[in-house]
Amino acid sequence: MADQPYQSLYRRFRPQRFSDLRGQPHVVAAMLGALRSGRISHAYLFSGPRGTGKTSTARILAKALNCLQPDEGEPCGVCESCEAIAAGRSLSVHELDAASHNGVEAMRDLIARAPIGSPGRWKVYIVDEVHMLSTAASNALLKTLEEPPRQVVFVLATTDAHKVLPTVRSRTQHFEFRLLDKEELVALVTEVDSAADLGLGEAELRAAVTRGAGSARDTLSALDQIVAAGGAPQDVFASVQLVEAIAGGDPSAALVAVDRAIAAGADPPRIAESVVGTLREGFLSLMAPSLAKGVEPRVADLARSMGAAVVVKALEGLGRSQVAMRDALDPRMVLELAVVRAAGELPSGTGQDWGASARLEARLARLEELAGITPAGVHPGTQDARDAPASRGGSGVGAARAALLDSGALQSQPSPARKPPAGATASPSVPEAAPAHAPAPAPRAAETPRAAETPNAQGSAVPRPAPARSGAPVTQGEGDKELSAPPQDALREDPSFPSREQLVMAWGDAVLASLTPKARARFRAGRFLDASGNVATFALPSSSHRDFCEPFRSEVEKALNSHFGVRMSLRLAVDDGGASGPSSRSGRKDSEESGSAEEEVDIASTVSAPPGDGPPTDAEARIMAAFPGAQEMEQ
């Protein structure tokens, strides 16, 4: 057994100078500039992911501040002070773990010891995981952190800067550390492999870099594990084998790769994470080659053979499996189902063209679902309807298109805002309505077809405008030009005038809502009493209300003409409360036809009702009537 215990690689190769620090050039430049100019701040805050050099930078700063022979801000590393700090026995550097010393008492002890002198020129306090301090402890530190004793420097380190109190952050210079990219990590493990004489191959070094995920400490820890295990973990090799199985559309090979990785000791979540990382590298090599530095050539070739669509589908499926494995009773089954689905998505002998076909098929299937379209002979809502596109002959795109053709959804239909094909008649637009007093035009000799009826939301039939039989012909022109408005006589005089029921239904469904707010508010209280010839009788509660609506009568006529496609006049009447329809028309004469006003009532001629008839008139009597059996008490 060796005299000295084994020291892990990340401790043996911890940076001792600013020049050894990797991936943080902005921090190195700021620290060296402050040391050379003598502008040392009293407090620093280092934040960033784990293993990026926050504590190492704090120790290098402490060495540089107390070094006896500094070289342009860099510590010499050989003087007594540098060696003591590197060995962790210097009285000038105090490291505090805030995760275990997060109370007020720990901060009081630190504050009490801060003014005490030290052997070195500077006394440095390194507080790690400072976000773990309680609110009371952070507030207790504030005053000393803002105005520390002379020759005292605080260095606070944290992985969660947003959890540090804003009052603490405002008293420090904040530096954010970043994850290392693959090129820097590859250079790091290559130097460590050579310096430690590990004798590892390129595959093992890349496996350590992949495991490190941008953290220098995690990368060296993974390299330690690979050396101890005698090779790269099985899940790293399994990830490439699984990607090969997905690219080849071979579910059996994918299951074999999963079984070998699990037999070698890898757990399913770790295998899924490794495969997702490999697929991501392939995805980046396809979509953004500049971001795919250090990607293994074999992975890039597999991604090109799969195509972007298949890579994305596999990433999505395996990503969902990672979430499902957290609560699954058998995570291995979840992983196996995910890799089989991913491998089965790609038929053999196809590549990127299949991805475009799959996207088109999915879009057509979605359109078919929204339109409620199912192939002929298949009932909607059944399993056969859901499986119909896949069961049809031909490709997936052909199946979806066949379903759309069967339903007639792909038949050409002219847009309402475009010109119809040659020979088609144009739908009439709304012209100016004729005056209400104008006599109704005589019907034509030839009978015109009744307007087609379409069911409304309540299931009742509502007339639909029929195409005009007269007017200027529509010429065939460019498809992007709007239809020109038909002439005034485009509205037909239809002897088959809408009935009162049709007018009532159309009024509540469409016509009233199409009026201007003023007209809508005035006509809302009325109702249709009759419809005869080309005249519709609209009743209002009183004569004053009728006069109030008269200025807007022409607007209502326009709305009715536009809805029914016929020329009609609107007659305003006073609602007498009687039944509407033919039976009530014979005994009713409207006030506007006779020209007489409503009958005036002479108040003086009225006679009081005899006692006992009708309801009581005084308040006491009404109260007694409301409460039978009650007695009036005299005071």
Side-chain angles (χ1 to χ4, degrees):
M1 181 179 293
D3 296 337
Q4 296 294 333
Y6 177 76
Q7 195 174 32
S8 60
L9 293 176
Y10 77 85
R11 293 181 63 189
R12 288 173 56 189
F13 295 94
R14 182 188 291 272
Q16 301 297 325
R17 296 167 58 91
F18 285 114
S19 58
D20 298 335
L21 196 63
R22 297 178 181 271
Q24 317 301 333
H26 59 294
V27 178
V28 172
M31 293 293 102
L32 288 177
L35 289 167
R36 291 167 183 169
S37 62
R39 298 178 179 273
I40 308 299
S41 176
H42 64 278
Y44 294 95
L45 175 62
F46 295 161
S47 67
R50 66 180 188 275
T52 52
K54 299 184 294 296
T55 306
S56 297
T57 304
R59 292 179 180 176
I60 296 172
L61 177 61
K63 290 168 64 175
L65 289 174
N66 291 286
C67 182
L68 301 179
Q69 299 174 352
D71 181 17
E72 293 295 324
E74 288 276 15
C76 65
V78 296
C79 66
E80 182 180 357
S81 176
C82 290
E83 290 180 350
I85 294 175
R89 50 183 173 81
S90 174
L91 298 177
S92 299
V93 179
H94 300 269
E95 294 193 29
L96 179 67
D97 180 20
S100 56
H101 300 80
N102 56 4
V104 177
E105 293 299 330
M107 292 301 102
R108 287 176 180 172
D109 183 67
L110 184 150
I111 295 169
R113 295 175 179 270
I116 301 176
S118 63
R121 295 195 304 269
W122 293 86
K123 192 173 186 178
V124 181
Y125 283 93
I126 302 175
V127 184
D128 204 4
E129 302 299 332
V130 71
H131 67 277
M132 298 294 290
L133 288 177
S134 64
T135 303
S138 299
N139 290 330
L141 182 63
L142 282 180
K143 187 60 178 177
T144 304
L145 187 65
E146 182 178 8
E147 297 179 359
R150 193 170 182 269
Q151 310 301 327
V152 173
V153 174
F154 286 94
V155 181
L156 313 180
T158 178
T159 54
D160 295 308
H162 64 281
K163 294 183 180 180
V164 180
L165 291 183
T167 51
V168 173
R169 292 200 304 266
S170 65
R171 288 163 169 80
T172 63
Q173 288 189 13
H174 186 189
F175 291 94
E176 296 180 352
F177 285 65
R178 308 164 184 168
L179 290 172
L180 282 69
D181 58 26
K182 280 199 169 184
E183 290 182 343
E184 292 173 334
L185 290 177
V186 168
L188 173 63
V189 296
T190 302
E191 292 181 8
V192 171
D193 176 58
S194 176
D197 195 17
L198 302 178
L200 297 177
E202 183 178 356
E204 286 79 7
L205 297 180
R206 287 187 177 275
V209 171
T210 302
R211 277 286 188 91
S215 170
R217 183 174 63 232
D218 291 356
T219 300
L220 294 181
S221 296
L223 195 64
D224 245 339
Q225 183 178 351
I226 290 173
V227 172
Q234 288 296 321
D235 61 332
V236 176
F237 296 112
S239 65
V240 179
Q241 295 173 2
L242 279 169
V243 173
E244 290 177 349
I246 293 172
D250 191 350
S252 176
L255 291 176
V256 170
V258 171
D259 181 74
R260 289 178 179 174
I262 292 178
D267 60 328
R270 179 60 194 168
I271 297 173
E273 181 182 353
S274 179
V275 176
V276 168
T278 304
L279 287 171
R280 177 182 175 274
E281 291 179 351
F283 176 75
L284 291 178
S285 68
L286 285 175
M287 308 305 297
S290 60
L291 300 178
K293 298 178 181 178
V295 174
E296 188 176 351
R298 175 59 178 159
V299 174
D301 294 340
L302 288 173
R304 282 193 294 270
S305 66
M306 294 166 66
V310 180
V311 173
V312 170
K313 278 195 172 185
L315 277 171
E316 291 176 345
L318 287 167
R320 288 192 294 266
S321 73
Q322 287 181 287
V323 178
M325 278 189 281
R326 298 173 186 171
D327 301 324
L329 296 176
D330 189 359
R332 176 173 180 172
M333 177 62 69
V334 177
L335 176 62
E336 288 174 341
L337 290 175
V339 297
V340 166
R341 289 193 188 100
E345 291 287 346
L346 180 61
S348 57
T350 59
Q352 194 167 1
D353 292 339
W354 177 88
S357 176
R359 290 194 299 271
L360 180 57
E361 181 177 356
R363 293 178 64 185
L364 288 175
R366 179 60 177 161
L367 290 173
E368 182 178 339
E369 178 184 354
L370 292 175
I373 300 168
T374 53
V378 178
H379 296 286
T382 62
Q383 185 64 32
D384 294 338
R386 291 188 288 270
D387 298 338
S391 61
R392 281 176 168 267
S395 64
V397 178
R401 184 173 179 81
L404 295 174
L405 287 172
D406 287 347
S407 64
L410 294 183
Q411 295 177 0
S412 299
Q413 297 179 355
S415 173
R418 305 288 184 181
K419 284 190 177 182
T425 56
S427 300
S429 60
V430 182
E432 291 292 329
H437 59 274
R444 296 187 179 183
E447 285 290 328
T448 55
R450 184 177 178 86
E453 293 183 353
T454 56
N456 61 4
Q458 287 76 17
S460 304
V462 177
R464 185 177 57 197
R469 293 181 177 270
S470 62
V474 179
T475 59
Q476 183 71 18
E478 297 179 2
D480 292 337
K481 293 183 179 179
E482 297 291 334
L483 287 173
S484 58
Q488 177 69 19
D489 60 351
L491 292 176
R492 62 185 178 88
E493 292 83 4
D494 192 349
S496 301
F497 191 76
S499 64
R500 173 184 174 275
E501 289 74 16
Q502 292 172 342
L503 285 170
V504 171
M505 190 65 65
W507 178 259
D509 289 344
V511 178
L512 184 61
S514 66
L515 301 177
T516 60
K518 287 186 177 181
R520 190 185 315 126
R522 301 188 185 196
F523 278 83
R524 189 185 300 276
R527 65 190 181 106
F528 282 99
L529 288 180
D530 189 19
S532 60
N534 278 21
V535 178
T537 302
F538 191 82
L540 294 160
S542 63
S543 59
S544 59
H545 197 150
R546 179 197 60 193
D547 298 338
F548 196 54
C549 293
E550 180 65 30
F552 296 90
R553 180 169 53 82
S554 60
E555 180 182 344
V556 179
E557 288 178 343
K558 290 180 183 180
L560 292 171
N561 293 344
S562 174
H563 184 81
F564 291 103
V566 296
R567 189 192 306 279
M568 66 177 66
S569 298
L570 185 67
R571 182 174 57 190
L572 302 183
V574 177
D575 195 348
D576 59 359
S580 61
S583 61
S584 63
R585 289 197 301 265
S586 59
R588 183 175 68 241
K589 294 295 182 179
D590 296 319
S591 60
E592 61 270 25
E593 292 180 353
S594 61
S596 62
E598 292 185 65
E599 181 182 358
E600 297 183 358
V601 178
D602 186 4
I603 302 300
S605 64
T606 58
V607 181
S608 300
D613 293 346
T617 57
D618 58 319
E620 292 83 356
R622 288 199 300 271
I623 294 175
M624 296 297 292
F627 297 94
Q631 296 181 359
E632 185 176 0
M633 303 295 294
E634 296 183 359
Q635 295 183 358

